[in-house]
Amino acid sequence: MTTTVVHERIPEPIGESKPRLDNRKKVTGAATYADDMQFGSGLLYARILHSPHPHALIKSINISRAKALPGVKAVVTGEDFPGFIGLYLQDRHIFCRDRVRYVGDPVAGVAATSEEIAVKAVNLIEVEYEVLEPVVNPEFGASPDAPLVHPQLSEYKVVPFILPQAGTNISNLFKVRKGDVGAAWEKCAAIVERKYRIPHIQHVPIEPHVAIAQVDETGEVTLWGSSQSPFAQRNLIAQALGISQSDMRVVAPYVGGGFGSKAGVSMEALAVAIATKVRGRPVKLRLTREEEFYTAFVRQELISYFKMGCDKNGKILAMENRFYWGGGAYTEYGVNVTRAAGYSSTGPYEVPNVKTDSYCVYTNHPVGGPMRGFGMPEMHTGLEQCIDDLAHEIGIDPVEIRRRNCIREGSILVTGSKMHPTGLPQCIEETAKAIQWGQKASPSAPNKRRGKGTAIMWKAPAMPPNAGSSAWVELAEDGTVTVGLGGQDLGQGTFTVCAQMAAAALGVPYESVRIATPVDTRFSPYEWQTVASRLTWSMGNAVVSAAQDARRQILDLVSEAWGEDPEDLDIRNGVVVSYKSEQEIPLKDMVIYGLPKPNDSGWMGGPIRGRGKFMPTYVTSLDPETGQGERAVVHYTTGSQSVELEVDLDTGQVEILRGASSFDVGKAINPEMVKAQMEGGFVQGLSSALFEEMKMVDGYMQNPSFVDYRIATTTDAPSDLQSVIVEVPQDDGPWGARGIGEHSMVATAAAIANAIFDAVGIRMEGPPFSAEKIYLAMLDAGIVE
């Protein structure tokens, strides 16, 4: 059943539970002053008219009253921008054209001389909608009975390794068929089957999304944005607008938190689109905190079904998993989350018989995108609870069952490839030891129960097979070094680590190395994106290659000048030294102006600039029916987390007493930063386990503010938090290094769930494991009265 709605102002919610997108919020004062100082008084402010409905057809849009408002410089709609945009699947327009698919979908945009005028203009736009039935459950959305969110799915452009199912809401289906699952069940001494539901959560970066775009009179576009993906934005926005990538420039200064929310393209294209209508004027668009909650990327929800069985010794014989990923209204990024979950669906276990179906499903919820862990926290939260339940069913200690089944070097993985060297067995031992596994401690009070839990994980960089990195290294007159790179620092320390690697590879002090910032696609070398915990490995390889190139140029120059073999030369602390003649020369004396030829016959050399690049060449395609192939991913980072906690029987409140993390990072380039990533990830994982949930009702978010959406603070973190680094080198990593940024929150929720079970014997369908849910579950189980 459909109805028609006409509105010229933001509609009041239908029922108190449905929130209103407040386009009237503005920012003034110091921020506006700073904008004027950088961009001048010609800066325009943009606001967006968002859809008030989860699913509706757009029957008409009247912008005449908005355009007539004094101070309004442009009003745009989807009619102005027919192109599609998307990373893996091009399934959306910059502004909606024929229908809206979630509350918050951009319908129109305004640029005005002040934010207050822009807000007034947005409220004057009249839109007539025909409301449609929304899809709010991914499992139902995958069924033939669900209304189609994207009837034109078969017409969308898509990369070869994503497999949309035409005529359905399934934008990607990844399948694994390994061994004979059906025959394996009768050989199992214990079998468990479980269902879990993981809710949407928000990244909540401390800095909301913000972008400023300007189009000059020649049509060249400059976008300044808080971005993890400046080069991807250059490419995708240029494609959508039908312009050359060389006419699209993206400048990305330091980012105030991302966690995946600022990867790819979200609101940035809106600012660019509006700027095309006011050439010469910069246009600023900034999301309010409320808008950040559900008009930017969110983490996908997941409904998962697990079935697994083992023999009498606890050896896992078979797994059968089914995942329904709630990808939201557009799944241009979410389709690859689904794929990553498929090729990692056994977790870090060697399982001979596997059947997996991983569905990415369109729903009328906010857009599901990349978030720290890229699907692995959601998938492991259910899987690792099942592993515990299987251990209890067969009568084996939960740590022991992991020892017996975890992957090792040479293990045959879920996709049929072989596992590279890994320190996962050692990680398991380290976290068990850290919380004194097997030793029971008394609770702190009679009304409390204490429990311990553990979980292990793996994660590969989820990326195309040919995602590349490049870098340059340049020396100045005084011998200082500048490194150019295209990856972004989000606070994770990428710039520091790359400076360390450049210094070590070139042979100069770390203090003499600078990183060229901000990242600017016109001047910075290419980098695919700052995602997938791949920069230390991929961009690090490019930086090392560039430094080595500069080093070769320097040593070749000196060897020619001195008449020595380059093998006898070295660079130590910024000085070229000869181990044969014991001559030496500082870099500052030769890296710009070169060296004189003998007998005053001229000069040799010149400015030194090294170039480097890296791209994996060995990732192969997988069979679309079986998911089998020679090498599905570049590598896996593995690890373990364990917790000790107490549950208050009177309130259900959980207190984390101790936490332990251990990850095999290949080589810790900066051990303190590695430990900081482990600690930060643990606390973010704790937050998603105990507190965070986007409460959705019929497609409307109920809690789009920090009043009702809680995240963990320092008071929630355990006072005893241990981080243990394991180093089993990666064959193609710089000094053997692998990434660690995302992995440290993958296993946390499962470890906490297992500890809650150990304490009070209850399981819940999914997080957050709030005090209320725990208390009610204990009440239902008869644990409390």
Side-chain angles (χ1 to χ4, degrees), residues 359-385:
Y359 300 89
C360 188
V361 184
Y362 285 120
T363 67
N364 294 114
H365 279 179
V367 179
M371 185 176 177
R372 191 177 193 176
F374 209 73
M376 295 302 100
E378 303 94 284
M379 191 269 288
H380 281 75
T381 295
L383 184 143
E384 282 296 287
Q385 290 184 74

PDB file of all heavy atoms in Angstrom, residues 359-385:
ATOM      1  N   TYR A 359      25.619 -13.491   1.879  1.00  0.00           N
ATOM      2  CA  TYR A 359      24.744 -12.639   1.069  1.00  0.00           C
ATOM      3  C   TYR A 359      24.890 -11.173   1.489  1.00  0.00           C
ATOM      4  O   TYR A 359      24.804 -10.859   2.681  1.00  0.00           O
ATOM      5  CB  TYR A 359      23.277 -13.018   1.269  1.00  0.00           C
ATOM      6  CG  TYR A 359      22.899 -14.429   0.906  1.00  0.00           C
ATOM      7  CD1 TYR A 359      22.995 -15.454   1.851  1.00  0.00           C
ATOM      8  CD2 TYR A 359      22.417 -14.743  -0.357  1.00  0.00           C
ATOM      9  CE1 TYR A 359      22.631 -16.759   1.545  1.00  0.00           C
ATOM     10  CE2 TYR A 359      22.049 -16.040  -0.682  1.00  0.00           C
ATOM     11  CZ  TYR A 359      22.150 -17.043   0.269  1.00  0.00           C
ATOM     12  OH  TYR A 359      21.776 -18.330  -0.037  1.00  0.00           O
ATOM     13  N   CYS A 360      25.090 -10.301   0.526  1.00  0.00           N
ATOM     14  CA  CYS A 360      24.968  -8.860   0.781  1.00  0.00           C
ATOM     15  C   CYS A 360      23.584  -8.447   0.313  1.00  0.00           C
ATOM     16  O   CYS A 360      23.237  -8.643  -0.864  1.00  0.00           O
ATOM     17  CB  CYS A 360      26.028  -8.065   0.036  1.00  0.00           C
ATOM     18  SG  CYS A 360      26.066  -6.324   0.490  1.00  0.00           S
ATOM     19  N   VAL A 361      22.789  -7.895   1.213  1.00  0.00           N
ATOM     20  CA  VAL A 361      21.372  -7.668   0.937  1.00  0.00           C
ATOM     21  C   VAL A 361      21.044  -6.185   1.074  1.00  0.00           C
ATOM     22  O   VAL A 361      21.372  -5.546   2.083  1.00  0.00           O
ATOM     23  CB  VAL A 361      20.494  -8.485   1.905  1.00  0.00           C
ATOM     24  CG1 VAL A 361      19.017  -8.326   1.539  1.00  0.00           C
ATOM     25  CG2 VAL A 361      20.895  -9.959   1.877  1.00  0.00           C
ATOM     26  N   TYR A 362      20.383  -5.647   0.056  1.00  0.00           N
ATOM     27  CA  TYR A 362      19.874  -4.286   0.156  1.00  0.00           C
ATOM     28  C   TYR A 362      18.753  -4.212   1.188  1.00  0.00           C
ATOM     29  O   TYR A 362      17.854  -5.063   1.219  1.00  0.00           O
ATOM     30  CB  TYR A 362      19.302  -3.821  -1.183  1.00  0.00           C
ATOM     31  CG  TYR A 362      20.308  -3.460  -2.235  1.00  0.00           C
ATOM     32  CD1 TYR A 362      20.338  -4.141  -3.454  1.00  0.00           C
ATOM     33  CD2 TYR A 362      21.209  -2.424  -2.039  1.00  0.00           C
ATOM     34  CE1 TYR A 362      21.248  -3.799  -4.446  1.00  0.00           C
ATOM     35  CE2 TYR A 362      22.123  -2.077  -3.032  1.00  0.00           C
ATOM     36  CZ  TYR A 362      22.135  -2.765  -4.228  1.00  0.00           C
ATOM     37  OH  TYR A 362      23.037  -2.409  -5.202  1.00  0.00           O
ATOM     38  N   THR A 363      18.823  -3.197   2.042  1.00  0.00           N
ATOM     39  CA  THR A 363      17.715  -2.879   2.939  1.00  0.00           C
ATOM     40  C   THR A 363      17.489  -1.373   2.878  1.00  0.00           C
ATOM     41  O   THR A 363      18.258  -0.645   2.259  1.00  0.00           O
ATOM     42  CB  THR A 363      18.032  -3.275   4.399  1.00  0.00           C
ATOM     43  OG1 THR A 363      19.095  -2.450   4.890  1.00  0.00           O
ATOM     44  CG2 THR A 363      18.416  -4.745   4.524  1.00  0.00           C
ATOM     45  N   ASN A 364      16.440  -0.907   3.509  1.00  0.00           N
ATOM     46  CA  ASN A 364      16.170   0.532   3.571  1.00  0.00           C
ATOM     47  C   ASN A 364      16.664   1.117   4.879  1.00  0.00           C
ATOM     48  O   ASN A 364      15.974   1.861   5.570  1.00  0.00           O
ATOM     49  CB  ASN A 364      14.676   0.791   3.352  1.00  0.00           C
ATOM     50  CG  ASN A 364      14.226   0.412   1.956  1.00  0.00           C
ATOM     51  OD1 ASN A 364      13.439  -0.515   1.776  1.00  0.00           O
ATOM     52  ND2 ASN A 364      14.754   1.109   0.961  1.00  0.00           N
ATOM     53  N   HIS A 365      17.888   0.749   5.191  1.00  0.00           N
ATOM     54  CA  HIS A 365      18.614   1.283   6.333  1.00  0.00           C
ATOM     55  C   HIS A 365      19.751   2.178   5.826  1.00  0.00           C
ATOM     56  O   HIS A 365      20.042   2.196   4.621  1.00  0.00           O
ATOM     57  CB  HIS A 365      19.185   0.148   7.179  1.00  0.00           C
ATOM     58  CG  HIS A 365      18.183  -0.463   8.109  1.00  0.00           C
ATOM     59  ND1 HIS A 365      18.483  -1.517   8.944  1.00  0.00           N
ATOM     60  CD2 HIS A 365      16.886  -0.169   8.350  1.00  0.00           C
ATOM     61  CE1 HIS A 365      17.418  -1.843   9.656  1.00  0.00           C
ATOM     62  NE2 HIS A 365      16.432  -1.039   9.308  1.00  0.00           N
ATOM     63  N   PRO A 366      20.425   2.917   6.704  1.00  0.00           N
ATOM     64  CA  PRO A 366      21.566   3.716   6.268  1.00  0.00           C
ATOM     65  C   PRO A 366      22.606   2.874   5.543  1.00  0.00           C
ATOM     66  O   PRO A 366      22.655   1.648   5.677  1.00  0.00           O
ATOM     67  CB  PRO A 366      22.111   4.287   7.578  1.00  0.00           C
ATOM     68  CG  PRO A 366      20.927   4.345   8.479  1.00  0.00           C
ATOM     69  CD  PRO A 366      20.105   3.137   8.138  1.00  0.00           C
ATOM     70  N   VAL A 367      23.464   3.546   4.800  1.00  0.00           N
ATOM     71  CA  VAL A 367      24.387   2.863   3.900  1.00  0.00           C
ATOM     72  C   VAL A 367      25.479   2.144   4.691  1.00  0.00           C
ATOM     73  O   VAL A 367      26.221   2.757   5.466  1.00  0.00           O
ATOM     74  CB  VAL A 367      25.027   3.868   2.926  1.00  0.00           C
ATOM     75  CG1 VAL A 367      26.006   3.152   1.990  1.00  0.00           C
ATOM     76  CG2 VAL A 367      23.946   4.590   2.128  1.00  0.00           C
ATOM     77  N   GLY A 368      25.567   0.843   4.500  1.00  0.00           N
ATOM     78  CA  GLY A 368      26.608   0.050   5.141  1.00  0.00           C
ATOM     79  C   GLY A 368      27.921   0.214   4.396  1.00  0.00           C
ATOM     80  O   GLY A 368      27.979   0.059   3.168  1.00  0.00           O
ATOM     81  N   GLY A 369      28.959   0.526   5.124  1.00  0.00           N
ATOM     82  CA  GLY A 369      30.265   0.730   4.500  1.00  0.00           C
ATOM     83  C   GLY A 369      31.365   0.091   5.306  1.00  0.00           C
ATOM     84  O   GLY A 369      31.126  -0.708   6.215  1.00  0.00           O
ATOM     85  N   PRO A 370      32.599   0.439   5.010  1.00  0.00           N
ATOM     86  CA  PRO A 370      33.726  -0.155   5.736  1.00  0.00           C
ATOM     87  C   PRO A 370      33.821   0.391   7.152  1.00  0.00           C
ATOM     88  O   PRO A 370      33.593   1.566   7.394  1.00  0.00           O
ATOM     89  CB  PRO A 370      34.932   0.289   4.905  1.00  0.00           C
ATOM     90  CG  PRO A 370      34.487   1.572   4.257  1.00  0.00           C
ATOM     91  CD  PRO A 370      33.024   1.406   3.984  1.00  0.00           C
ATOM     92  N   MET A 371      34.099  -0.495   8.092  1.00  0.00           N
ATOM     93  CA  MET A 371      34.404  -0.083   9.451  1.00  0.00           C
ATOM     94  C   MET A 371      35.514  -0.971   9.980  1.00  0.00           C
ATOM     95  O   MET A 371      35.666  -2.115   9.521  1.00  0.00           O
ATOM     96  CB  MET A 371      33.187  -0.165  10.369  1.00  0.00           C
ATOM     97  CG  MET A 371      33.468   0.381  11.770  1.00  0.00           C
ATOM     98  SD  MET A 371      32.028   0.417  12.845  1.00  0.00           S
ATOM     99  CE  MET A 371      32.806   0.998  14.355  1.00  0.00           C
ATOM    100  N   ARG A 372      36.256  -0.463  10.908  1.00  0.00           N
ATOM    101  CA  ARG A 372      37.397  -1.180  11.484  1.00  0.00           C
ATOM    102  C   ARG A 372      37.069  -2.659  11.672  1.00  0.00           C
ATOM    103  O   ARG A 372      36.163  -3.024  12.410  1.00  0.00           O
ATOM    104  CB  ARG A 372      37.767  -0.547  12.827  1.00  0.00           C
ATOM    105  CG  ARG A 372      39.081  -1.011  13.404  1.00  0.00           C
ATOM    106  CD  ARG A 372      39.396  -0.274  14.695  1.00  0.00           C
ATOM    107  NE  ARG A 372      40.778  -0.463  15.107  1.00  0.00           N
ATOM    108  CZ  ARG A 372      41.332   0.125  16.162  1.00  0.00           C
ATOM    109  NH1 ARG A 372      40.621   0.964  16.906  1.00  0.00           N
ATOM    110  NH2 ARG A 372      42.594  -0.096  16.471  1.00  0.00           N
ATOM    111  N   GLY A 373      37.824  -3.495  10.970  1.00  0.00           N
ATOM    112  CA  GLY A 373      37.589  -4.935  10.995  1.00  0.00           C
ATOM    113  C   GLY A 373      36.947  -5.478   9.758  1.00  0.00           C
ATOM    114  O   GLY A 373      37.044  -6.654   9.444  1.00  0.00           O
ATOM    115  N   PHE A 374      36.219  -4.627   9.007  1.00  0.00           N
ATOM    116  CA  PHE A 374      35.655  -4.964   7.698  1.00  0.00           C
ATOM    117  C   PHE A 374      34.916  -6.300   7.704  1.00  0.00           C
ATOM    118  O   PHE A 374      35.211  -7.210   6.954  1.00  0.00           O
ATOM    119  CB  PHE A 374      36.769  -4.977   6.646  1.00  0.00           C
ATOM    120  CG  PHE A 374      36.284  -4.629   5.265  1.00  0.00           C
ATOM    121  CD1 PHE A 374      35.939  -3.336   4.943  1.00  0.00           C
ATOM    122  CD2 PHE A 374      36.168  -5.605   4.289  1.00  0.00           C
ATOM    123  CE1 PHE A 374      35.486  -3.008   3.665  1.00  0.00           C
ATOM    124  CE2 PHE A 374      35.726  -5.300   3.009  1.00  0.00           C
ATOM    125  CZ  PHE A 374      35.385  -3.992   2.698  1.00  0.00           C
ATOM    126  N   GLY A 375      33.937  -6.402   8.611  1.00  0.00           N
ATOM    127  CA  GLY A 375      33.107  -7.602   8.673  1.00  0.00           C
ATOM    128  C   GLY A 375      33.619  -8.680   9.601  1.00  0.00           C
ATOM    129  O   GLY A 375      32.852  -9.554  10.042  1.00  0.00           O
ATOM    130  N   MET A 376      34.896  -8.639   9.935  1.00  0.00           N
ATOM    131  CA  MET A 376      35.461  -9.700  10.768  1.00  0.00           C
ATOM    132  C   MET A 376      34.966  -9.649  12.217  1.00  0.00           C
ATOM    133  O   MET A 376      34.708 -10.710  12.809  1.00  0.00           O
ATOM    134  CB  MET A 376      36.989  -9.649  10.730  1.00  0.00           C
ATOM    135  CG  MET A 376      37.599  -9.942   9.358  1.00  0.00           C
ATOM    136  SD  MET A 376      37.144 -11.550   8.659  1.00  0.00           S
ATOM    137  CE  MET A 376      35.855 -11.067   7.518  1.00  0.00           C
ATOM    138  N   PRO A 377      34.801  -8.484  12.855  1.00  0.00           N
ATOM    139  CA  PRO A 377      34.224  -8.511  14.206  1.00  0.00           C
ATOM    140  C   PRO A 377      32.822  -9.108  14.220  1.00  0.00           C
ATOM    141  O   PRO A 377      32.484  -9.892  15.122  1.00  0.00           O
ATOM    142  CB  PRO A 377      34.208  -7.029  14.615  1.00  0.00           C
ATOM    143  CG  PRO A 377      35.257  -6.388  13.785  1.00  0.00           C
ATOM    144  CD  PRO A 377      35.215  -7.118  12.477  1.00  0.00           C
ATOM    145  N   GLU A 378      32.001  -8.746  13.239  1.00  0.00           N
ATOM    146  CA  GLU A 378      30.633  -9.250  13.190  1.00  0.00           C
ATOM    147  C   GLU A 378      30.618 -10.764  13.015  1.00  0.00           C
ATOM    148  O   GLU A 378      29.887 -11.485  13.690  1.00  0.00           O
ATOM    149  CB  GLU A 378      29.865  -8.584  12.036  1.00  0.00           C
ATOM    150  CG  GLU A 378      29.823  -7.069  12.104  1.00  0.00           C
ATOM    151  CD  GLU A 378      30.932  -6.418  11.297  1.00  0.00           C
ATOM    152  OE1 GLU A 378      32.099  -6.426  11.763  1.00  0.00           O
ATOM    153  OE2 GLU A 378      30.643  -5.901  10.208  1.00  0.00           O
ATOM    154  N   MET A 379      31.432 -11.256  12.080  1.00  0.00           N
ATOM    155  CA  MET A 379      31.457 -12.688  11.806  1.00  0.00           C
ATOM    156  C   MET A 379      32.068 -13.475  12.960  1.00  0.00           C
ATOM    157  O   MET A 379      31.532 -14.499  13.395  1.00  0.00           O
ATOM    158  CB  MET A 379      32.234 -12.929  10.502  1.00  0.00           C
ATOM    159  CG  MET A 379      32.124 -14.351   9.957  1.00  0.00           C
ATOM    160  SD  MET A 379      33.431 -15.441  10.549  1.00  0.00           S
ATOM    161  CE  MET A 379      34.847 -14.833   9.649  1.00  0.00           C
ATOM    162  N   HIS A 380      33.196 -12.987  13.506  1.00  0.00           N
ATOM    163  CA  HIS A 380      33.861 -13.719  14.586  1.00  0.00           C
ATOM    164  C   HIS A 380      33.053 -13.708  15.883  1.00  0.00           C
ATOM    165  O   HIS A 380      33.185 -14.630  16.695  1.00  0.00           O
ATOM    166  CB  HIS A 380      35.242 -13.114  14.860  1.00  0.00           C
ATOM    167  CG  HIS A 380      36.302 -13.521  13.886  1.00  0.00           C
ATOM    168  ND1 HIS A 380      36.379 -13.010  12.606  1.00  0.00           N
ATOM    169  CD2 HIS A 380      37.347 -14.382  14.005  1.00  0.00           C
ATOM    170  CE1 HIS A 380      37.415 -13.543  11.987  1.00  0.00           C
ATOM    171  NE2 HIS A 380      38.022 -14.380  12.807  1.00  0.00           N
ATOM    172  N   THR A 381      32.221 -12.680  16.095  1.00  0.00           N
ATOM    173  CA  THR A 381      31.441 -12.630  17.342  1.00  0.00           C
ATOM    174  C   THR A 381      30.557 -13.859  17.481  1.00  0.00           C
ATOM    175  O   THR A 381      30.446 -14.438  18.567  1.00  0.00           O
ATOM    176  CB  THR A 381      30.598 -11.344  17.389  1.00  0.00           C
ATOM    177  OG1 THR A 381      31.471 -10.215  17.447  1.00  0.00           O
ATOM    178  CG2 THR A 381      29.690 -11.328  18.616  1.00  0.00           C
ATOM    179  N   GLY A 382      29.952 -14.301  16.395  1.00  0.00           N
ATOM    180  CA  GLY A 382      29.151 -15.519  16.445  1.00  0.00           C
ATOM    181  C   GLY A 382      29.996 -16.774  16.382  1.00  0.00           C
ATOM    182  O   GLY A 382      29.810 -17.712  17.172  1.00  0.00           O
ATOM    183  N   LEU A 383      30.933 -16.796  15.462  1.00  0.00           N
ATOM    184  CA  LEU A 383      31.724 -18.008  15.244  1.00  0.00           C
ATOM    185  C   LEU A 383      32.480 -18.418  16.500  1.00  0.00           C
ATOM    186  O   LEU A 383      32.493 -19.597  16.880  1.00  0.00           O
ATOM    187  CB  LEU A 383      32.696 -17.768  14.084  1.00  0.00           C
ATOM    188  CG  LEU A 383      33.547 -18.958  13.651  1.00  0.00           C
ATOM    189  CD1 LEU A 383      33.736 -18.957  12.138  1.00  0.00           C
ATOM    190  CD2 LEU A 383      34.932 -18.940  14.313  1.00  0.00           C
ATOM    191  N   GLU A 384      33.105 -17.467  17.184  1.00  0.00           N
ATOM    192  CA  GLU A 384      33.922 -17.810  18.349  1.00  0.00           C
ATOM    193  C   GLU A 384      33.077 -18.210  19.561  1.00  0.00           C
ATOM    194  O   GLU A 384      33.555 -18.938  20.434  1.00  0.00           O
ATOM    195  CB  GLU A 384      34.843 -16.644  18.692  1.00  0.00           C
ATOM    196  CG  GLU A 384      36.060 -16.535  17.787  1.00  0.00           C
ATOM    197  CD  GLU A 384      36.971 -17.750  17.937  1.00  0.00           C
ATOM    198  OE1 GLU A 384      37.652 -17.873  18.960  1.00  0.00           O
ATOM    199  OE2 GLU A 384      36.982 -18.590  17.015  1.00  0.00           O
ATOM    200  N   GLN A 385      31.838 -17.760  19.626  1.00  0.00           N
ATOM    201  CA  GLN A 385      30.945 -18.287  20.671  1.00  0.00           C
ATOM    202  C   GLN A 385      30.576 -19.733  20.354  1.00  0.00           C
ATOM    203  O   GLN A 385      30.484 -20.576  21.258  1.00  0.00           O
ATOM    204  CB  GLN A 385      29.688 -17.430  20.768  1.00  0.00           C
ATOM    205  CG  GLN A 385      29.929 -16.044  21.345  1.00  0.00           C
ATOM    206  CD  GLN A 385      28.637 -15.276  21.519  1.00  0.00           C
ATOM    207  OE1 GLN A 385      27.851 -15.548  22.430  1.00  0.00           O
ATOM    208  NE2 GLN A 385      28.400 -14.307  20.633  1.00  0.00           N
TER     209      GLN A 385
END
